[in-house]
Amino acid sequence: MSRIDKVRNKLTELNVDALLVTESKNLRYLANFTGSAGVAIITATESYFVTDFRYTEQAAEQAVGFNIRIHKQPIMAEVNEILNENNVTKIAIEANQMNVATYLQIKELFTAEIVETQGLVEKIREIKEPEELALIKAACEITDQSFDHILKFIKPGVTELEVANELEAFLKSKGASAMSFDTIVASGVRSSMPHGVASNKVIEDGDMITLDWGCYYNGYSSDMTRTIAVGKVDPELEKIYHIVLEAHERVNSSAKAGMTGKEIDALARDYITEQGYGEYFGHSTGHGLGLDVHELPAISVKNDEPVKAGMVITNEPGIYIPGLGGVRIENDLIVTEDGVESTNNSPKHLIIL
């Protein structure tokens, strides 16, 4: 079944006539459009892509199968004309993606009834097609290569920011279009900060360093974390490292389709709690990965929905002790019927430079 047909099935379930797609990643998913200005309208029988003169050729090349409309009036006025031409009386919008100003504008402008939906396309995106999985694997492959590279670069005297910049330069040399988020390089006591974005701190002998980074490759993302040491390792941090690694491996060995996000989260969380560090693991065990580096499904205590084969999730337990430091280890996993397949091959044992 095509992606558009999956959307149409959702429209039937919601008893609405059409969907207005405004979120950029959803536009890429449905219309293959990579520009910065455009919207799509999907009805039971038609698909329209509306953009401006700058993207006339690009839309024609990318949005194959869509009726292309180049608007000369405000874009939402053009959308309203399309809705009227197709006798649309109920139009679904991406309420979780649309800003208030645009919502107030269409509320005034549209003659059709507006139906607010959340995550309609994102839920379809959860299960990846083979071509998507291949691109995620490619993104993870060059991320693995960048880890090998950065191990040769890190040494006392370089700054966290220099490490982050070196990772970005290497990944772009391998075909990445961008980093998938601000690279985290947290060394020494800063490693107790789960999202310690790279700073001007100088890496010193004796530091534990958490590296959390990823890239976009042909639109799809990677997300990997490794924690390494420079010089002598603090005994408690070494103990914590092995606890986190065991928690990580418990997810790898037991997670599978049919388990809920909460159940997968518990595989790591319960072990860390048993070891006496539960209060120092404050984030979820993982999240979905694809066109967005953070997307559905959530691998957390809040998610009672089962994961399905073809979903891609992260596995990233961690322990963070203020004033001492922290450890996180993360791989990206493809969910299968009877387990998970890791898309990362970088070593996970404690590396001491």
Side-chain angles (χ1 to χ4, degrees):
M1 183 183 297
S2 74
R3 296 173 181 181
I4 298 298
D5 286 339
K6 290 176 183 177
V7 170
R8 287 177 174 146
N9 285 346
K10 292 287 187 181
L11 298 181
T12 300
E13 291 174 14
L14 294 169
N15 192 31
V16 295
D17 303 314
L19 171 67
L20 173 61
V21 185
T22 53
E23 202 280 321
S24 61
K25 298 293 174 57
N26 290 340
L27 289 170
R28 179 166 189 153
Y29 183 74
L30 295 172
N32 196 37
F33 183 71
T34 61
S36 61
V39 300
I41 303 99
I42 298 170
T43 74
T45 58
E46 301 290 339
S47 301
Y48 296 86
F49 192 85
V50 184
T51 188
D52 61 49
F53 174 80
R54 296 170 298 167
Y55 294 107
T56 302
E57 293 183 64
Q58 183 176 341
E61 290 174 1
Q62 294 182 332
V64 177
F66 282 72
N67 297 309
I68 308 299
R69 297 274 285 256
I70 306 300
H71 68 91
K72 295 182 179 179
Q73 58 184 325
I75 190 168
M76 289 304 172
E78 187 77 25
V79 169
N80 190 50
E81 283 194 10
I82 293 170
L83 301 182
N84 291 335
E85 289 168 13
N86 288 268
N87 300 312
V88 171
T89 60
K90 285 186 178 181
I91 176 73
I93 64 167
E94 299 178 299
N96 55 319
Q97 304 292 353
M98 183 178 289
N99 64 40
V100 175
T102 301
Y103 176 76
L104 293 175
Q105 178 190 7
I106 64 172
K107 191 175 180 181
E108 181 73 22
L109 183 64
F110 288 2
T111 52
E113 177 187 348
I114 297 170
V115 178
E116 296 89 1
T117 67
Q118 294 190 34
L120 189 152
V121 179
E122 288 85 346
K123 289 293 291 183
I124 297 171
R125 282 169 45 188
E126 282 186 288
I127 298 178
K128 272 57 181 181
E129 298 164 2
E131 301 80 19
E132 294 179 283
L133 294 176
L135 289 172
I136 292 170
K137 287 179 178 180
C140 290
E141 167 60 25
I142 61 173
T143 304
D144 280 336
Q145 292 175 25
S146 72
F147 183 56
D148 290 339
H149 174 77
I150 209 65
L151 289 177
K152 302 177 183 73
F153 180 85
I154 294 173
K155 61 183 178 182
V158 302
T159 67
E160 296 173 347
L161 193 56
E162 287 171 333
V163 172
N165 289 341
E166 185 70 17
L167 281 168
E168 181 170 358
F170 181 89
L171 284 163
K172 287 187 175 180
S173 78
K174 296 297 182 180
S177 59
M179 304 304 281
S180 46
F181 53 93
D182 289 339
T183 299
I184 294 168
V185 182
S187 61
V189 294
R190 291 190 77 250
S191 63
S192 68
M193 302 166 61
H195 277 192
V197 173
S199 73
N200 286 317
K201 179 192 174 299
V202 174
I203 291 171
E204 302 173 31
D205 188 67
D207 278 354
M208 202 75 138
I209 308 170
T210 296
L211 306 163
D212 186 349
W213 76 108
C215 68
Y216 279 109
Y217 182 83
N218 286 351
Y220 284 80
S221 56
S222 65
D223 185 1
M224 187 170 82
T225 306
R226 292 292 184 268
T227 302
I228 64 172
V230 176
K232 187 177 180 180
V233 182
D234 181 282
E236 186 172 3
L237 286 173
E238 185 171 5
K239 174 186 175 184
I240 287 169
Y241 188 96
H242 293 295
I243 292 170
V244 170
L245 180 58
E246 175 62 22
H248 173 91
E249 295 296 2
R250 288 187 177 211
V251 173
N252 289 338
S253 62
S254 298
K256 62 181 179 179
M259 295 180 68
T260 66
K262 182 176 182 178
E263 289 170 335
I264 296 174
D265 178 271
L267 294 171
R269 191 171 306 282
D270 289 354
Y271 178 73
I272 289 174
T273 300
E274 289 168 9
Q275 299 302 309
Y277 290 92
E279 65 181 296
Y280 301 109
F281 178 26
H283 58 75
S284 62
T285 295
H287 54 80
L289 182 85
L291 284 168
D292 278 311
V293 72
H294 290 91
E295 59 180 49
L296 298 173
I299 307 304
S300 78
V301 295
K302 298 178 182 179
N303 184 14
D304 289 317
E305 293 187 16
V307 300
K308 299 177 181 178
M311 292 181 175
V312 179
I313 62 174
T314 66
N315 170 17
E316 51 182 302
I319 295 173
Y320 316 91
I321 301 179
L324 177 64
V327 173
R328 180 165 67 255
I329 301 169
E330 174 185 22
N331 272 13
D332 303 331
L333 309 176
I334 299 171
V335 179
T336 67
E337 292 293 350
D338 56 1
V340 292
E341 173 192 348
S342 178
T343 58
N344 306 96
N345 294 304
S346 292
K348 291 179 286 189
H349 64 272
L350 178 56
I351 294 173
I352 302 174
L353 301 179

